[in-house]
Amino acid sequence: EDVYMIGKMVAFQIQNLLVAYKERFDKDNFIKNLLLDNLLLVDIYSRAKKLHIQADVKRVVLIIESENGKDNNALDMIRANCSGTKDFVTAVDENNIIVVRDLSEGDSNKEIDKAARTIENFLVKEGIKSVRIAYGTVVREIKEVSRSYKEAKMALDVGKILSADD
């Protein structure tokens, strides 16, 4: 009798974990496709709704690059650092970590700069070398997130060209 109950409880716990994991996986998948412009407009809104992601929030995309490339530790560290916020942390290639950051109405570039510096200091303190962070413009619509991402990517590339001239 008791063993049966324990088995049931364990099964229930595992189910809960799977649901939580699947939701995180689905969100991650959605954000990746959003960044890479792989979604139709109608899909963006229906999936966002299903995943409880607000469509009309101010957001900005930050790209974090380091010598270690997309060091999995760095990815996990940033995830942990951003937990408790509404920020999405993901990666779409080997080299960069991407943070899609929710902004409050009053947030300006000064706040974004501060956030970028906080992440940079945090990673450097954790021993991650030559961290560079770039961000795109602030967008107000979920469908515009990919534009912010493209701009951040461009800013990162331009920054590399400029620093190579030093």
Side-chain angles (χ1 to χ4, degrees), residues 3-103:
V3 173
Y4 174 71
M5 271 314 291
I6 290 169
K8 248 183 128 149
M9 276 164 58
V10 169
F12 180 70
Q13 291 291 351
I14 290 172
Q15 202 131 25
N16 280 350
L17 282 172
L18 283 175
V19 168
Y21 180 77
K22 185 177 174 339
E23 191 170 274
R24 187 171 136 187
F25 177 77
D26 287 347
K27 267 190 182 164
D28 195 59
N29 201 357
F30 170 67
I31 297 292
K32 275 184 190 155
N33 283 309
L34 186 65
L35 291 165
L36 298 172
D37 243 343
N38 291 341
L39 298 168
L40 296 169
L41 204 53
V42 38
D43 291 341
I44 291 176
Y45 288 99
S46 65
R47 287 186 65 182
K49 197 173 169 179
K50 210 159 72 187
L51 293 165
H52 309 294
I53 297 169
Q54 273 181 280
D56 52 352
V57 174
K58 271 174 74 171
R59 291 185 173 95
V60 67
V61 176
L62 294 96
I63 300 183
I64 302 150
E65 189 185 74
S66 66
E67 214 174 73
N68 315 44
K70 189 194 78 189
D71 185 328
N72 272 339
N73 289 348
L75 186 62
D76 289 338
M77 279 181 220
I78 293 171
R79 272 212 171 109
N81 196 30
C82 290
S83 75
T85 67
K86 286 199 178 125
D87 298 350
F88 294 107
V89 181
T90 190
V92 292
D93 58 32
E94 274 62 81
N95 314 321
N96 306 323
I97 295 165
I98 296 157
V99 179
V100 180
R101 185 164 202 118
D102 271 31
L103 300 170

Side-chain angles (χ1 to χ4, degrees), residues 128-142:
I128 306 244
K129 296 199 180 26
S130 53
V131 177
R132 320 163 70 100
I133 300 179
Y135 57 86
T137 46
V138 174
V139 296
R140 290 182 167 275
E141 273 289 336
I142 195 152

